[in-house]
Amino acid sequence: MSPIIVGPLVAAGLSAFLALVIALIDRVVNDYGEVTIDINGGKRSYTVRGGSPLLGTLAAEGLFVPSACGGRGSCGACKVRVLSDVGPHLPTEMPYLNPEEVSQNVRLSCQIKLKKNIDIELPEELFSVKKFSSTVESIRELTYDIKEVLFKLDEPKAIEFVAGQYIQIVVPPYGEIKESVQRAYSMSSRPRDDGHVELLVRLVPGGIATTWVHKYLKVGQKVELVGPFGDFQVHDTPAAMLCVAGGSGMAPFKSMFYEMKENNSFPDKEIWYFFGARTTRDMFYLDELRQLEKDWPRFHFVAALSEPKADEAWQGDTGLITDVLDKYIKEKIGKDKGLEGYLCGSPGMINACINVMTKNGVAERDIYFDKFA
Ligand SMILES: Cc1cc2nc3c(=O)[nH]c(=O)nc-3n(C[C@H](O)[C@H](O)[C@H](O)COP(=O)(O)OP(=O)(O)OC[C@H]3O[C@@H](n4cnc5c(N)ncnc54)[C@H](O)[C@@H]3O)c2cc1C
Ligand code: FES
């Protein structure tokens, strides 16, 4: 055989051999065997195969820690306190942890790999989080980029939640997307409608879950949901609620308002709802909310356009929602029972509203929010 042919054959054989050795070393080195996860001082315990991130390993056992980004380390939702030694914090965890959390060894469960037995602490309400199946009952276009999706639960009463909480949609692989992902969406339906879950989903260009919802999801399709999660909910105090949303940030408020009205819950609370949009193209549920305002004296609805077009017939407020909020707090809203902030939408809008509220005397500890990022 000529050396011209032998040379490449030897090289190919060598690299195949090296690949085999690397694969074998990887299997031996990364074989952590069985490890035990001990939760809340022995209240729950799982013996599992080591080597995978804590978040996914717990999910495989039916215990769902929140994960708004599906384990990519970009939401900070999957925090757990680890009581045993799992090594120092990773650079990917640090942006989501405050100094107190770092000192308590709070970790992002999607970032820590299970290599040995581990002791963790979890809020007990996570024990009742479930994965359940549903069928898409309707899909309605609210604006050019927001869809209202109604899921009928395959098993009625499969989920019990408090108005304001969110669920995670399990997005199956589709098109170029080869792995299933989960994303968080606030429930816009009322808890008392125990046969359905409704979500408002805004299309993020190039986004995995929202492209699937907007372009692939069809009525009649089966969808898995995981939840409920979150502590965004109405607080039982007499303080007036200053609620601010933009876009699909409407979702948890829709659930809260209709639930409060139907149950006459928190009867001492006045509710001020500020909804900001750029133009009328971005507005939705206007008629429903104006009707709610007529039917329910303690509910006040303020819709504002920041960039109204000259030819738009717009009767409401204009300007940035932060400026409108500032004006109303200063001039129109009674403060005798105190004020609380409730915010939902983009991080930028939320931070700007917190700024306006605190400058007007609302204590930061009385401002609650869900950042959609
Ligand atoms: C507690 C919670 C509740 C939420 N509730 C809702 C809800 O009710 N309705 C809703 O529409 N969304 C909601 N979100 C946001 C939602 O979970 C997803 O992050 C969002 O829909 C984008 O998912 P994706 O898979 O399409 O985009 P990805 O594939 O995750 O992201 C694609 C790209 O877009 C960027 N990106 C991600 N999210 C946004 C965003 N919101 N705006 C602009 N760019 C973004 C990413 O950084 C990335 O570069 C919520 C988020 C949280 C944490
Ligand atoms: S799941 Fe989002 S950071 Fe861990």
Side-chain angles (χ1 to χ4, degrees):
M1 204 180 283
S2 94
I4 297 169
I5 298 174
V6 172
L9 275 181
V10 170
L14 256 177
S15 58
F17 177 71
L18 276 174
L20 186 69
V21 171
I22 289 168
L24 280 173
I25 291 173
D26 192 50
R27 256 180 98 170
V28 173
V29 172
N30 291 333
D31 184 4
Y32 301 102
E34 285 193 334
V35 297
T36 304
I37 309 173
D38 187 272
I39 305 170
N40 296 359
K43 285 221 167 122
R44 284 203 180 187
S45 180
Y46 302 105
T47 302
V48 296
R49 185 122 214 110
S52 300
L54 177 61
L55 177 78
T57 308
L58 287 174
E61 297 298 319
L63 185 52
F64 300 98
V65 173
S67 90
C69 71
R72 288 179 306 176
S74 63
C75 72
C78 62
K79 290 174 187 174
V80 300
R81 183 161 178 236
V82 179
L83 305 174
S84 51
D85 177 24
V86 286
H89 285 88
L90 303 169
T92 45
E93 298 176 89
M94 293 310 284
Y96 302 97
L97 302 171
N98 63 37
E100 196 192 332
E101 288 171 327
V102 173
S103 71
Q104 299 266 313
N105 205 26
V106 172
R107 310 297 301 255
L108 295 190
S109 58
C110 69
Q111 298 298 301
I112 51 174
K113 219 174 178 187
L114 280 176
K115 298 178 181 173
K116 55 184 175 176
N117 294 347
I118 185 171
D119 292 347
I120 62 173
E121 256 181 27
L122 282 179
E124 302 239 326
E125 57 264 25
L126 288 186
F127 295 165
S128 57
V129 168
K130 283 184 291 187
K131 187 183 259 190
F132 49 95
S133 66
S134 69
T135 308
V136 179
E137 188 168 300
S138 65
I139 302 178
R140 192 155 72 107
E141 222 160 84
L142 298 177
T143 69
Y144 62 98
D145 69 348
I146 298 180
K147 283 192 199 282
E148 175 200 273
V149 187
L150 185 65
F151 300 89
K152 187 173 191 315
L153 305 182
D154 291 346
E155 190 191 310
K157 301 186 199 293
I159 180 173
E160 268 183 37
F161 68 98
V162 178
Q165 285 192 293
Y166 69 91
I167 51 109
Q168 290 170 191
I169 294 190
V170 181
V171 179
Y174 69 92
E176 298 290 294
I177 308 299
K178 302 294 177 220
E179 278 186 17
S180 170
V181 300
Q182 294 192 19
R183 294 286 186 272
Y185 294 92
S186 303
M187 288 174 275
S188 53
S189 44
R190 292 153 307 141
R192 63 161 53 197
D193 179 2
D194 56 17
H196 292 95
V197 162
E198 183 193 82
L199 307 178
L200 310 182
V201 179
R202 186 177 74 84
L203 179 66
V204 170
I208 296 175
T210 56
T211 301
W212 179 71
V213 168
H214 277 251
K215 309 248 171 6
Y216 289 75
L217 194 62
K218 299 277 177 288
V219 170
Q221 201 166 323
K222 293 273 180 212
V223 178
E224 285 191 309
L225 305 169
V226 181
F229 295 108
D231 50 13
F232 188 66
Q233 56 185 270
V234 182
H235 289 249
D236 193 2
T237 70
M241 296 170 75
L242 300 174
C243 307
V244 191
S248 53
M250 171 81 82
F253 292 120
K254 182 183 177 197
S255 175
M256 283 176 178
F257 300 153
Y258 286 100
E259 184 77 2
M260 281 172 87
K261 176 167 184 290
E262 283 169 26
N263 297 338
N264 194 26
S265 44
F266 312 105
D268 293 333
K269 275 181 155 355
E270 287 283 311
I271 303 131
W272 287 85
Y273 181 36
F274 296 85
F275 185 76
R278 276 191 300 168
T279 67
T280 46
R281 260 185 99 215
D282 305 286
M283 275 289 172
F284 57 99
Y285 290 155
L286 269 187
D287 292 343
E288 290 92 328
L289 288 163
R290 285 185 175 147
Q291 189 59 47
L292 187 66
E293 188 178 32
K294 279 192 194 135
D295 298 342
W296 194 25
R298 63 187 169 109
F299 177 71
H300 314 275
F301 176 49
V302 182
L305 292 185
S306 60
E307 296 167 23
K309 300 241 161 52
D311 57 351
E312 279 184 316
W314 177 245
Q315 308 289 326
D317 285 77
T318 53
L320 285 175
I321 200 67
T322 39
D323 295 337
V324 176
L325 173 70
D326 189 51
K327 185 179 83 184
Y328 273 73
I329 301 180
K330 287 194 164 73
E331 296 171 10
K332 303 204 175 177
I333 299 178
K335 301 170 190 68
D336 46 326
K337 293 184 182 166
L339 298 175
E340 278 168 356
Y342 294 81
L343 309 166
C344 221
S346 71
M349 185 220 61
I350 289 180
N351 294 339
C353 288
I354 292 176
N355 199 19
V356 170
M357 288 182 179
T358 50
K359 277 191 178 147
N360 280 288
V362 184
E364 209 159 336
R365 63 171 181 278
D366 295 331
I367 303 176
Y368 311 100
F369 52 81
D370 256 351
K371 287 186 180 173
F372 283 10

